[in-house]
Amino acid sequence: MINMSIPPVKEQLEIIERGTIEIVPREELVRKLENAHKTQKPLRVKLGCDPTRPDLHLGHSVILRKMRQFQDLGHHTILIIGDFTAMIGDPSGANKTRPALTREDVVANGRSYFEQASKILDPEKTEIVYNSEWLAPMSFEDVIRLASHYTVARMIERDDFTKRYQNSDTISLHEFLYPLAQGQDSVHLKSDIELGGIDQKFNLLVGRHLQKEFGQSPQICLMMPLLVGTDGTQKMSKSYDNYIGIDEKPEDMYGKALSIPDELIFPYYELVTDLDQGRLPEIRKRAASDPRNTKHELAWTITRMYHGAEMADQARAHFEKTVIQKDVPDEMPEFVFSTDSGHGLLDIIRETGFVPSSSEARRLITQGGITLDGEKITDPRFHFEAGRDGEHILKVGKRKFGKLIFKS
RNA sequence: GGGGAGGUACCGAAGCGGUCAAACGGGGCAGACUGUAAAUCUGUUGGCUACGCCUUCACAGGUUCGAAUCCUGUCCUCCCCA
Protein backbone atom coordinates (compact mmCIF):
# COMPACT_ATOMS: atom_id res chain seq x y z
CA MET A 1 0.00 0.00 0.00
CA ILE A 2 2.86 2.29 0.83
CA ASN A 3 4.52 1.67 -2.47
CA MET A 4 2.32 0.52 -5.28
CA SER A 5 4.95 0.88 -7.95
CA ILE A 6 7.32 -1.84 -9.04
CA PRO A 7 10.88 -0.88 -8.07
CA PRO A 8 14.01 -1.17 -10.21
CA VAL A 9 15.46 -4.58 -10.92
CA LYS A 10 18.32 -4.41 -8.51
CA GLU A 11 16.05 -3.64 -5.62
CA GLN A 12 13.67 -6.39 -6.62
CA LEU A 13 16.37 -9.00 -7.07
CA GLU A 14 17.88 -8.34 -3.70
CA ILE A 15 14.64 -9.24 -2.03
CA ILE A 16 13.66 -12.02 -4.37
CA GLU A 17 16.96 -13.82 -4.08
CA ARG A 18 17.01 -13.94 -0.31
CA GLY A 19 17.20 -17.61 0.59
CA THR A 20 16.44 -18.93 -2.88
CA ILE A 21 18.26 -22.04 -3.86
CA GLU A 22 17.72 -21.90 -7.59
CA ILE A 23 16.15 -19.71 -10.23
CA VAL A 24 15.69 -21.19 -13.68
CA PRO A 25 16.77 -19.31 -15.68
CA ARG A 26 17.98 -16.28 -13.77
CA GLU A 27 18.67 -14.06 -16.79
CA GLU A 28 15.13 -14.47 -17.94
CA LEU A 29 13.88 -13.44 -14.55
CA VAL A 30 16.02 -10.34 -14.71
CA ARG A 31 14.52 -9.51 -18.08
CA LYS A 32 10.98 -10.01 -16.83
CA LEU A 33 11.63 -7.86 -13.79
CA GLU A 34 13.18 -5.16 -15.91
CA ASN A 35 10.20 -5.13 -18.15
CA ALA A 36 7.81 -5.05 -15.24
CA HIS A 37 9.59 -2.04 -13.80
CA LYS A 38 9.64 -0.27 -17.14
CA THR A 39 6.00 -0.85 -17.97
CA GLN A 40 4.81 -1.02 -14.36
CA LYS A 41 2.93 -4.10 -15.38
CA PRO A 42 3.00 -6.66 -12.57
CA LEU A 43 4.21 -10.20 -13.18
CA ARG A 44 1.88 -13.12 -12.55
CA VAL A 45 3.33 -15.19 -9.74
CA LYS A 46 1.84 -18.60 -9.08
CA LEU A 47 1.97 -20.90 -6.11
CA GLY A 48 0.11 -24.17 -5.84
CA CYS A 49 -0.94 -25.66 -2.56
CA ASP A 50 -2.15 -29.04 -1.52
CA PRO A 51 -5.42 -28.82 0.39
CA THR A 52 -5.17 -32.37 1.72
CA ARG A 53 -2.83 -31.07 4.38
CA PRO A 54 -4.37 -27.94 5.75
CA ASP A 55 -2.01 -27.54 8.68
CA LEU A 56 0.69 -25.10 7.77
CA HIS A 57 4.08 -25.10 9.39
CA LEU A 58 7.25 -23.08 9.06
CA GLY A 59 8.28 -25.19 6.10
CA HIS A 60 5.33 -23.84 4.14
CA SER A 61 6.04 -20.38 5.43
CA VAL A 62 9.32 -20.29 3.52
CA ILE A 63 7.54 -20.22 0.20
CA LEU A 64 4.60 -18.19 1.40
CA ARG A 65 6.99 -15.55 2.64
CA LYS A 66 8.60 -15.47 -0.78
CA MET A 67 5.17 -14.96 -2.26
CA ARG A 68 4.57 -12.15 0.18
CA GLN A 69 7.75 -10.46 -0.98
CA PHE A 70 6.45 -10.49 -4.52
CA GLN A 71 3.23 -8.92 -3.29
CA ASP A 72 5.16 -6.19 -1.55
CA LEU A 73 7.07 -5.58 -4.76
CA GLY A 74 3.81 -4.91 -6.52
CA HIS A 75 3.39 -8.12 -8.46
CA HIS A 76 0.23 -10.11 -8.97
CA THR A 77 0.08 -13.30 -6.92
CA ILE A 78 -2.13 -16.28 -7.49
CA LEU A 79 -2.65 -19.00 -4.92
CA ILE A 80 -3.93 -22.17 -6.49
CA ILE A 81 -5.90 -24.51 -4.33
CA GLY A 82 -5.17 -27.90 -5.86
CA ASP A 83 -8.63 -29.20 -5.22
CA PHE A 84 -8.88 -31.21 -8.39
CA THR A 85 -5.66 -33.10 -7.86
CA ALA A 86 -6.45 -33.52 -4.19
CA MET A 87 -9.67 -35.31 -4.89
CA ILE A 88 -7.81 -38.01 -6.74
CA GLY A 89 -4.87 -38.48 -4.41
CA ASP A 90 -1.34 -37.34 -3.92
CA PRO A 91 1.38 -37.64 -6.53
CA SER A 92 4.81 -37.42 -5.01
CA GLY A 93 6.51 -39.39 -2.30
CA ALA A 94 3.91 -40.93 -0.11
CA ASN A 95 2.96 -44.44 -1.02
CA LYS A 96 -0.20 -44.35 1.01
CA THR A 97 -3.33 -44.07 -1.00
CA ARG A 98 -5.10 -41.18 0.50
CA PRO A 99 -8.82 -41.46 0.80
CA ALA A 100 -10.39 -39.38 -1.90
CA LEU A 101 -11.58 -36.20 -0.31
CA THR A 102 -15.10 -35.04 -0.72
CA ARG A 103 -15.92 -31.73 -2.30
CA GLU A 104 -16.85 -30.26 1.06
CA ASP A 105 -13.60 -31.40 2.67
CA VAL A 106 -11.57 -29.87 -0.07
CA VAL A 107 -13.40 -26.59 0.06
CA ALA A 108 -13.16 -26.48 3.85
CA ASN A 109 -9.47 -27.33 3.75
CA GLY A 110 -8.84 -24.77 1.08
CA ARG A 111 -10.48 -22.13 3.20
CA SER A 112 -8.51 -23.16 6.26
CA TYR A 113 -5.31 -23.10 4.24
CA PHE A 114 -6.01 -19.59 3.05
CA GLU A 115 -6.89 -18.48 6.54
CA GLN A 116 -3.56 -19.68 7.89
CA ALA A 117 -1.66 -18.43 4.86
CA SER A 118 -3.16 -15.01 5.49
CA LYS A 119 -0.91 -14.70 8.50
CA ILE A 120 1.87 -14.41 5.98
CA LEU A 121 0.28 -13.26 2.76
CA ASP A 122 -1.63 -10.07 2.21
CA PRO A 123 -5.11 -11.50 1.61
CA GLU A 124 -6.17 -8.40 -0.26
CA LYS A 125 -3.53 -8.98 -2.85
CA THR A 126 -3.95 -12.71 -3.21
CA GLU A 127 -6.01 -14.12 -6.03
CA ILE A 128 -7.41 -17.49 -5.06
CA VAL A 129 -8.28 -20.02 -7.70
CA TYR A 130 -9.27 -23.66 -7.62
CA ASN A 131 -7.71 -25.77 -10.31
CA SER A 132 -10.82 -27.92 -10.69
CA GLU A 133 -12.18 -24.88 -12.47
CA TRP A 134 -10.20 -25.68 -15.60
CA LEU A 135 -9.00 -29.24 -15.00
CA ALA A 136 -12.38 -30.83 -14.29
CA PRO A 137 -13.97 -29.89 -17.61
CA MET A 138 -11.10 -31.37 -19.63
CA SER A 139 -12.16 -34.29 -21.78
CA PHE A 140 -10.26 -37.52 -22.21
CA GLU A 141 -9.21 -36.20 -25.56
CA ASP A 142 -7.85 -33.04 -23.97
CA VAL A 143 -5.86 -35.14 -21.55
CA ILE A 144 -4.40 -37.27 -24.32
CA ARG A 145 -3.38 -34.14 -26.18
CA LEU A 146 -1.77 -32.75 -23.09
CA ALA A 147 0.07 -36.01 -22.40
CA SER A 148 1.43 -36.10 -25.93
CA HIS A 149 3.56 -33.09 -25.08
CA TYR A 150 5.71 -35.06 -22.69
CA THR A 151 7.70 -38.26 -22.95
CA VAL A 152 8.04 -41.24 -20.65
CA ALA A 153 11.81 -40.96 -20.62
CA ARG A 154 11.59 -37.41 -19.35
CA MET A 155 8.90 -38.32 -16.88
CA ILE A 156 10.91 -41.01 -15.17
CA GLU A 157 13.77 -38.58 -14.85
CA ARG A 158 11.91 -37.18 -11.92
CA ASP A 159 13.91 -37.98 -8.88
CA ASP A 160 11.30 -39.73 -6.83
CA PHE A 161 10.03 -41.72 -9.80
CA THR A 162 13.55 -42.92 -10.48
CA LYS A 163 14.08 -43.89 -6.89
CA ARG A 164 10.79 -45.62 -6.51
CA TYR A 165 11.31 -47.42 -9.77
CA GLN A 166 14.72 -48.62 -8.68
CA ASN A 167 13.33 -49.69 -5.34
CA SER A 168 10.63 -51.65 -7.12
CA ASP A 169 8.01 -49.53 -5.45
CA THR A 170 4.65 -49.06 -7.00
CA ILE A 171 4.15 -46.16 -9.36
CA SER A 172 0.62 -45.78 -10.57
CA LEU A 173 0.22 -44.60 -14.11
CA HIS A 174 -1.95 -41.69 -13.12
CA GLU A 175 0.92 -40.25 -11.14
CA PHE A 176 2.46 -39.23 -14.41
CA LEU A 177 -0.52 -37.00 -14.93
CA TYR A 178 0.13 -34.88 -11.89
CA PRO A 179 3.08 -32.95 -13.21
CA LEU A 180 1.08 -32.43 -16.37
CA ALA A 181 -1.93 -31.20 -14.46
CA GLN A 182 0.24 -28.81 -12.52
CA GLY A 183 1.83 -27.67 -15.75
CA GLN A 184 -1.58 -27.14 -17.22
CA ASP A 185 -2.25 -24.77 -14.35
CA SER A 186 0.65 -22.65 -15.49
CA VAL A 187 -0.58 -22.69 -19.06
CA HIS A 188 -4.09 -21.77 -18.03
CA LEU A 189 -2.98 -18.96 -15.77
CA LYS A 190 -0.23 -17.75 -18.10
CA SER A 191 2.10 -17.50 -15.16
CA ASP A 192 5.37 -15.60 -15.36
CA ILE A 193 6.87 -17.13 -12.27
CA GLU A 194 6.07 -20.24 -10.31
CA LEU A 195 7.26 -20.65 -6.76
CA GLY A 196 7.97 -23.96 -5.10
CA GLY A 197 10.25 -25.99 -2.90
CA ILE A 198 13.30 -27.47 -4.53
CA ASP A 199 11.53 -30.84 -4.43
CA GLN A 200 9.03 -29.34 -6.85
CA LYS A 201 11.67 -28.54 -9.42
CA PHE A 202 10.59 -31.21 -11.84
CA ASN A 203 6.96 -30.21 -11.73
CA LEU A 204 7.76 -26.56 -12.17
CA LEU A 205 9.91 -27.36 -15.16
CA VAL A 206 7.11 -29.33 -16.73
CA GLY A 207 4.98 -26.20 -16.50
CA ARG A 208 7.70 -24.26 -18.22
CA HIS A 209 7.97 -26.86 -20.94
CA LEU A 210 4.25 -26.99 -21.56
CA GLN A 211 3.96 -23.24 -21.78
CA LYS A 212 6.57 -23.29 -24.53
CA GLU A 213 4.68 -26.04 -26.31
CA PHE A 214 1.60 -23.86 -26.22
CA GLY A 215 3.43 -20.83 -27.50
CA GLN A 216 3.51 -18.92 -24.25
CA SER A 217 6.37 -17.12 -22.66
CA PRO A 218 7.67 -19.82 -20.30
CA GLN A 219 7.52 -19.25 -16.58
CA ILE A 220 10.53 -18.71 -14.38
CA CYS A 221 10.91 -21.45 -11.81
CA LEU A 222 11.94 -20.11 -8.46
CA MET A 223 12.86 -22.74 -5.91
CA MET A 224 13.32 -22.39 -2.19
CA PRO A 225 15.34 -24.84 -0.13
CA LEU A 226 13.46 -27.31 2.00
CA LEU A 227 13.45 -26.18 5.56
CA VAL A 228 15.11 -28.75 7.77
CA GLY A 229 12.89 -29.75 10.67
CA THR A 230 13.58 -29.49 14.36
CA ASP A 231 15.33 -32.86 14.29
CA GLY A 232 18.06 -31.29 12.20
CA THR A 233 18.11 -34.00 9.58
CA GLN A 234 14.93 -34.34 7.59
CA LYS A 235 12.83 -31.73 5.87
CA MET A 236 10.17 -30.24 8.03
CA SER A 237 7.06 -32.30 7.69
CA LYS A 238 4.10 -33.24 9.71
CA SER A 239 4.69 -36.90 9.11
CA TYR A 240 8.19 -36.74 10.57
CA ASP A 241 6.86 -34.88 13.57
CA ASN A 242 9.69 -32.37 13.34
CA TYR A 243 7.58 -29.36 12.54
CA ILE A 244 6.61 -26.07 14.08
CA GLY A 245 3.05 -25.27 13.10
CA ILE A 246 2.10 -21.67 12.50
CA ASP A 247 -1.04 -22.21 14.53
CA GLU A 248 0.82 -23.63 17.47
CA LYS A 249 0.65 -22.29 20.96
CA PRO A 250 3.31 -19.68 21.74
CA GLU A 251 5.01 -21.87 24.34
CA ASP A 252 5.26 -24.83 22.00
CA MET A 253 6.52 -22.66 19.22
CA TYR A 254 9.18 -21.19 21.44
CA GLY A 255 10.29 -24.49 22.86
CA LYS A 256 10.37 -26.25 19.55
CA ALA A 257 12.29 -23.43 17.91
CA LEU A 258 14.83 -23.67 20.68
CA SER A 259 15.32 -27.35 20.12
CA ILE A 260 16.78 -27.00 16.65
CA PRO A 261 20.46 -27.85 16.28
CA ASP A 262 22.77 -24.86 16.29
CA GLU A 263 23.62 -25.19 12.59
CA LEU A 264 20.05 -24.33 11.74
CA ILE A 265 19.98 -21.02 13.55
CA PHE A 266 21.11 -19.04 10.56
CA PRO A 267 19.01 -20.82 7.92
CA TYR A 268 15.96 -20.27 10.07
CA TYR A 269 16.71 -16.59 10.40
CA GLU A 270 17.14 -16.30 6.69
CA LEU A 271 14.16 -18.36 5.62
CA VAL A 272 11.44 -18.01 8.19
CA THR A 273 11.90 -14.69 9.94
CA ASP A 274 11.19 -11.16 8.86
CA LEU A 275 14.52 -9.98 10.17
CA ASP A 276 15.92 -7.16 8.12
CA GLN A 277 18.01 -8.38 5.21
CA GLY A 278 20.94 -6.18 6.20
CA ARG A 279 21.29 -7.79 9.58
CA LEU A 280 21.73 -11.32 8.29
CA PRO A 281 25.56 -11.28 8.08
CA GLU A 282 25.76 -10.15 11.68
CA ILE A 283 23.39 -12.93 12.71
CA ARG A 284 25.46 -15.50 10.89
CA LYS A 285 28.45 -14.55 13.03
CA ARG A 286 26.52 -14.45 16.28
CA ALA A 287 24.95 -17.83 15.59
CA ALA A 288 28.42 -19.30 15.73
CA SER A 289 29.85 -17.29 18.60
CA ASP A 290 26.80 -17.12 20.86
CA PRO A 291 24.38 -19.85 19.83
CA ARG A 292 22.46 -19.87 23.06
CA ASN A 293 21.29 -16.28 23.00
CA THR A 294 20.95 -16.11 19.25
CA LYS A 295 18.70 -19.11 19.34
CA HIS A 296 16.58 -17.67 22.10
CA GLU A 297 16.16 -14.54 20.02
CA LEU A 298 15.22 -16.66 17.05
CA ALA A 299 12.61 -18.51 19.06
CA TRP A 300 11.30 -15.22 20.32
CA THR A 301 11.17 -13.72 16.84
CA ILE A 302 9.31 -16.65 15.38
CA THR A 303 6.81 -16.61 18.21
CA ARG A 304 6.39 -12.86 17.85
CA MET A 305 5.70 -13.16 14.13
CA TYR A 306 2.69 -15.36 14.73
CA HIS A 307 1.51 -14.32 18.18
CA GLY A 308 2.85 -10.85 18.84
CA ALA A 309 5.56 -9.55 21.15
CA GLU A 310 3.62 -9.92 24.35
CA MET A 311 2.91 -13.60 23.85
CA ALA A 312 6.49 -14.14 22.79
CA ASP A 313 7.66 -12.66 26.09
CA GLN A 314 5.32 -14.95 27.95
CA ALA A 315 6.51 -17.95 26.00
CA ARG A 316 10.06 -17.15 26.93
CA ALA A 317 9.15 -16.80 30.59
CA HIS A 318 7.28 -20.08 30.43
CA PHE A 319 10.29 -21.82 28.97
CA GLU A 320 12.65 -20.40 31.57
CA LYS A 321 10.37 -21.50 34.31
CA THR A 322 9.46 -25.00 33.24
CA VAL A 323 12.51 -26.19 31.39
CA ILE A 324 15.41 -24.29 32.86
CA GLN A 325 14.20 -23.97 36.44
CA LYS A 326 12.12 -27.13 36.22
CA ASP A 327 9.33 -25.28 37.92
CA VAL A 328 5.60 -25.46 37.41
CA PRO A 329 4.06 -23.18 34.78
CA ASP A 330 1.65 -20.43 35.82
CA GLU A 331 -1.13 -21.73 33.73
CA MET A 332 -2.18 -25.24 32.92
CA PRO A 333 -5.33 -27.10 32.03
CA GLU A 334 -7.56 -28.05 34.93
CA PHE A 335 -9.30 -31.34 35.48
CA VAL A 336 -12.09 -31.69 37.98
CA PHE A 337 -12.90 -34.96 39.71
CA SER A 338 -15.67 -35.79 42.09
CA THR A 339 -14.67 -37.03 45.51
CA ASP A 340 -17.78 -39.16 45.73
CA SER A 341 -15.57 -42.04 44.80
CA GLY A 342 -11.88 -42.79 44.68
CA HIS A 343 -9.81 -42.47 41.53
CA GLY A 344 -6.90 -44.54 40.32
CA LEU A 345 -3.97 -42.44 39.17
CA LEU A 346 -3.82 -44.54 36.03
CA ASP A 347 -7.33 -43.56 35.05
CA ILE A 348 -6.78 -39.96 35.90
CA ILE A 349 -3.73 -39.73 33.69
CA ARG A 350 -5.64 -41.25 30.86
CA GLU A 351 -8.58 -38.96 31.38
CA THR A 352 -6.40 -35.90 31.02
CA GLY A 353 -5.78 -37.00 27.47
CA PHE A 354 -2.02 -36.70 27.92
CA VAL A 355 -1.58 -40.38 27.05
CA PRO A 356 -3.49 -42.55 24.62
CA SER A 357 -3.97 -45.62 26.80
CA SER A 358 -3.71 -46.75 30.36
CA SER A 359 -0.90 -49.07 29.37
CA GLU A 360 1.04 -46.01 28.35
CA ALA A 361 0.19 -44.34 31.65
CA ARG A 362 1.39 -47.42 33.49
CA ARG A 363 4.63 -47.37 31.57
CA LEU A 364 5.21 -43.73 32.41
CA ILE A 365 4.63 -44.37 36.07
CA THR A 366 6.98 -47.33 36.10
CA GLN A 367 9.66 -45.31 34.39
CA GLY A 368 9.42 -42.36 36.71
CA GLY A 369 7.77 -40.06 34.21
CA ILE A 370 4.90 -39.09 36.48
CA THR A 371 5.15 -36.46 39.15
CA LEU A 372 2.48 -35.40 41.60
CA ASP A 373 3.10 -32.13 43.43
CA GLY A 374 6.76 -32.46 42.62
CA GLU A 375 7.11 -36.02 43.85
CA LYS A 376 7.74 -38.95 41.64
CA ILE A 377 5.03 -41.57 41.77
CA THR A 378 6.24 -45.02 40.90
CA ASP A 379 3.37 -47.18 42.07
CA PRO A 380 0.90 -47.86 39.28
CA ARG A 381 -1.75 -48.67 41.85
CA PHE A 382 -1.58 -45.23 43.44
CA HIS A 383 -5.04 -43.83 43.94
CA PHE A 384 -6.86 -40.88 45.36
CA GLU A 385 -9.28 -41.72 48.13
CA ALA A 386 -12.88 -40.68 48.12
CA GLY A 387 -14.00 -37.77 50.24
CA ARG A 388 -10.77 -35.78 50.15
CA ASP A 389 -11.01 -32.40 48.50
CA GLY A 390 -7.91 -30.67 47.26
CA GLU A 391 -5.73 -29.69 44.35
CA HIS A 392 -2.69 -31.39 42.95
CA ILE A 393 -0.24 -30.60 40.19
CA LEU A 394 0.26 -33.51 37.85
CA LYS A 395 3.26 -33.63 35.56
CA VAL A 396 3.26 -36.16 32.76
CA GLY A 397 6.55 -36.70 31.00
CA LYS A 398 8.75 -33.74 30.38
CA ARG A 399 6.32 -30.98 29.70
CA LYS A 400 2.70 -31.82 30.20
CA PHE A 401 1.14 -30.27 33.25
CA GLY A 402 -2.35 -30.44 34.61
CA LYS A 403 -4.09 -29.22 37.74
CA LEU A 404 -6.21 -31.88 39.34
CA ILE A 405 -9.09 -30.54 41.35
CA PHE A 406 -10.97 -32.83 43.69
CA LYS A 407 -14.23 -31.70 45.12
CA SER A 408 -17.49 -33.22 46.11
C1' G B 1 -0.99 -63.91 -21.60
C1' G B 2 3.19 -67.24 -19.26
C1' G B 3 6.70 -68.04 -15.20
C1' G B 4 8.84 -66.62 -10.39
C1' A B 5 8.96 -63.91 -5.56
C1' G B 6 6.26 -61.67 -1.79
C1' G B 7 2.47 -59.15 1.71
C1' U B 8 4.75 -59.35 9.67
C1' A B 9 3.72 -54.17 14.66
C1' C B 10 4.79 -46.49 13.31
C1' C B 11 8.75 -47.74 9.28
C1' G B 12 12.56 -51.30 7.55
C1' A B 13 13.30 -56.35 8.48
C1' A B 14 13.76 -61.59 11.06
C1' G B 15 10.69 -65.66 12.25
C1' C B 16 8.41 -70.76 8.67
C1' G B 17 3.85 -75.82 13.79
C1' G B 18 4.33 -74.91 20.26
C1' U B 19 9.38 -71.73 24.46
C1' C B 20 5.76 -65.47 19.71
C1' A B 21 2.72 -59.77 21.76
C1' A B 22 6.65 -61.78 17.82
C1' A B 23 14.55 -61.08 17.16
C1' C B 24 17.24 -56.79 15.20
C1' G B 25 17.64 -51.61 13.29
C1' G B 26 15.24 -46.83 12.74
C1' G B 27 11.57 -43.75 14.78
C1' G B 28 8.56 -42.53 19.21
C1' C B 29 8.19 -42.08 24.53
C1' A B 30 10.56 -41.86 29.44
C1' G B 31 14.88 -41.36 32.93
C1' A B 32 19.89 -39.27 33.68
C1' C B 33 22.68 -35.40 31.79
C1' U B 34 22.56 -30.45 29.32
C1' G B 35 22.46 -23.37 27.36
C1' U B 36 18.31 -26.32 24.79
C1' A B 37 12.67 -30.07 23.88
C1' A B 38 20.31 -30.88 20.79
C1' A B 39 24.17 -34.71 21.54
C1' U B 40 25.14 -38.96 24.58
C1' C B 41 23.94 -43.07 27.83
C1' U B 42 19.93 -46.25 29.94
C1' G B 43 15.09 -48.08 29.87
C1' U B 44 10.65 -48.69 27.21
C1' U B 45 7.48 -49.25 22.82
C1' G B 46 -0.59 -53.80 21.07
C1' G B 47 -4.80 -53.28 24.59
C1' C B 48 -7.25 -54.14 29.33
C1' U B 49 -11.20 -54.19 35.04
C1' A B 50 -3.16 -55.94 34.79
C1' C B 51 1.69 -60.96 38.41
C1' G B 52 -3.82 -62.58 34.88
C1' C B 53 -6.89 -61.77 30.55
C1' C B 54 -8.10 -60.06 25.40
C1' U B 55 -7.02 -58.79 20.16
C1' U B 56 -2.90 -58.84 16.46
C1' C B 57 1.53 -61.22 11.60
C1' A B 58 -2.98 -58.73 3.82
C1' C B 59 -8.41 -60.78 3.92
C1' A B 60 -11.90 -65.09 4.37
C1' G B 61 -12.23 -70.07 5.44
C1' G B 62 -9.82 -75.00 6.74
C1' U B 63 -6.23 -78.82 9.01
C1' U B 64 -4.30 -79.47 14.15
C1' C B 65 -4.54 -80.42 21.25
C1' G B 66 -1.93 -75.95 19.26
C1' A B 67 -0.77 -71.64 13.31
C1' A B 68 2.60 -65.50 11.88
C1' U B 69 4.28 -70.40 10.53
C1' C B 70 0.65 -75.98 6.91
C1' C B 71 -3.81 -76.17 3.14
C1' U B 72 -7.80 -73.60 0.01
C1' G B 73 -9.83 -69.24 -1.99
C1' U B 74 -9.75 -63.74 -2.47
C1' C B 75 -7.29 -59.03 -2.79
C1' C B 76 -2.69 -56.41 -3.49
C1' U B 77 2.69 -55.67 -4.90
C1' C B 78 7.37 -56.68 -7.29
C1' C B 79 10.66 -59.27 -10.93
C1' C B 80 11.53 -61.98 -15.63
C1' C B 81 9.42 -63.36 -20.43
C1' A B 82 5.61 -62.04 -24.25
Side-chain angles (χ1 to χ4, degrees):
Chain A
M1 284 311 204
I2 305 150
N3 179 17
M4 284 305 288
S5 66
I6 300 170
V9 185
K10 208 180 155 208
E11 205 174 305
Q12 293 191 69
L13 266 182
E14 213 164 274
I15 294 170
I16 290 170
E17 288 194 297
R18 169 172 174 170
T20 55
I21 191 167
E22 201 175 349
I23 298 173
V24 182
R26 189 173 179 278
E27 320 79 70
E28 236 170 81
L29 171 67
V30 174
R31 235 174 292 140
K32 288 206 183 215
L33 293 176
E34 231 158 36
N35 198 43
H37 171 60
K38 228 177 277 167
T39 61
Q40 286 298 309
K41 203 176 155 226
L43 296 174
R44 296 169 65 78
V45 183
K46 164 204 175 202
L47 172 66
C49 70
D50 171 13
T52 54
R53 295 268 166 122
D55 298 304
L56 300 195
H57 52 63
L58 292 185
H60 299 104
S61 85
V62 173
I63 292 157
L64 289 168
R65 286 186 45 70
K66 187 54 66 186
M67 182 102 148
R68 173 63 194 245
Q69 289 161 4
F70 275 99
Q71 293 184 327
D72 292 342
L73 288 168
H75 293 292
H76 182 75
T77 54
I78 309 166
L79 185 68
I80 301 175
I81 312 287
D83 65 331
F84 187 74
T85 34
M87 279 191 293
I88 310 169
D90 188 284
S92 56
N95 44 4
K96 285 175 206 152
T97 359
R98 296 231 173 85
L101 295 178
T102 64
R103 235 296 25 99
E104 297 84 71
D105 287 341
V106 169
V107 171
N109 285 354
R111 197 166 294 142
S112 144
Y113 190 104
F114 179 61
E115 215 167 273
Q116 295 172 69
S118 295
K119 291 188 176 181
I120 299 165
L121 298 174
D122 180 344
E124 302 275 304
K125 293 184 185 167
T126 310
E127 180 185 350
I128 308 275
V129 292
Y130 289 80
N131 67 2
S132 61
E133 193 188 306
W134 55 87
L135 293 179
M138 285 177 80
S139 70
F140 195 28
E141 189 183 341
D142 294 332
V143 177
I144 292 171
R145 277 231 172 92
L146 180 65
S148 74
H149 288 284
Y150 221 80
T151 67
V152 172
R154 295 201 63 184
M155 201 53 89
I156 55 178
E157 276 172 15
R158 192 171 97 171
D159 200 45
D160 69 311
F161 282 151
T162 311
K163 276 188 197 139
R164 286 163 64 196
Y165 192 65
Q166 281 167 353
N167 282 338
S168 300
D169 287 336
T170 315
I171 302 173
S172 292
L173 195 53
H174 75 283
E175 294 185 56
F176 282 174
L177 297 175
Y178 282 90
L180 293 177
Q182 190 171 336
Q184 177 64 29
D185 292 348
S186 295
V187 172
H188 179 84
L189 295 168
K190 297 188 173 61
S191 62
D192 290 302
I193 300 175
E194 178 164 7
L195 308 181
I198 187 67
D199 58 338
Q200 284 283 308
K201 184 173 177 177
F202 181 89
N203 292 353
L204 303 201
L205 286 170
V206 171
R208 190 174 153 79
H209 173 82
L210 289 178
Q211 283 179 306
K212 275 194 223 163
E213 293 283 303
F214 288 97
Q216 294 183 10
S217 156
Q219 65 183 14
I220 310 302
C221 308
L222 189 151
M223 276 81 66
M224 297 302 292
L226 299 180
L227 188 71
V228 176
T230 53
D231 60 356
T233 50
Q234 284 173 296
K235 71 164 180 177
M236 184 173 285
S237 158
K238 207 169 179 197
S239 36
Y240 299 143
D241 196 26
N242 62 356
Y243 67 99
I244 301 175
I246 69 173
D247 262 352
E248 272 188 270
K249 286 187 291 185
E251 308 88 68
D252 291 339
M253 222 177 219
Y254 194 96
K256 283 187 179 187
L258 211 58
S259 78
I260 62 171
D262 293 356
E263 312 83 73
L264 291 182
I265 297 175
F266 180 71
Y268 270 51
Y269 262 110
E270 182 178 41
L271 296 169
V272 308
T273 73
D274 53 10
L275 183 85
D276 190 72
Q277 188 104 344
R279 288 194 53 210
L280 287 176
E282 163 203 336
I283 289 292
R284 188 195 285 275
K285 274 186 214 148
R286 282 199 52 218
S289 62
D290 182 15
R292 192 185 94 89
N293 290 318
T294 318
K295 202 191 284 182
H296 270 282
E297 277 161 36
L298 170 68
W300 186 88
T301 304
I302 291 173
T303 312
R304 187 218 74 218
M305 286 172 65
Y306 296 97
H307 296 284
E310 200 179 315
M311 296 309 274
D313 285 341
Q314 278 181 31
R316 168 150 202 166
H318 178 269
F319 186 87
E320 301 256 341
K321 197 164 192 192
T322 59
V323 180
I324 297 175
Q325 293 166 29
K326 296 193 191 301
D327 204 345
V328 180
D330 295 330
E331 286 184 40
M332 63 188 97
E334 298 182 348
F335 304 92
V336 180
F337 298 91
S338 158
T339 48
D340 294 347
S341 61
H343 297 274
L345 179 58
L346 231 42
D347 296 327
I348 284 186
I349 294 171
R350 198 186 41 192
E351 276 169 48
T352 59
F354 291 147
V355 297
S357 69
S358 62
S359 293
E360 183 66 27
R362 177 180 293 268
R363 242 172 255 135
L364 278 170
I365 292 175
T366 316
Q367 295 190 116
I370 299 292
T371 296
L372 200 62
D373 295 326
E375 277 186 44
K376 241 176 221 185
I377 305 294
T378 49
D379 179 10
R381 283 166 309 185
F382 185 95
H383 68 278
F384 296 90
E385 282 164 35
R388 275 198 204 165
D389 291 12
E391 290 188 5
H392 300 280
I393 305 292
L394 174 74
K395 185 184 179 194
V396 178
K398 277 178 206 160
R399 59 198 121 96
K400 291 174 199 149
F401 292 90
K403 185 179 281 180
L404 308 179
I405 301 170
F406 294 90
K407 59 181 176 192
S408 48

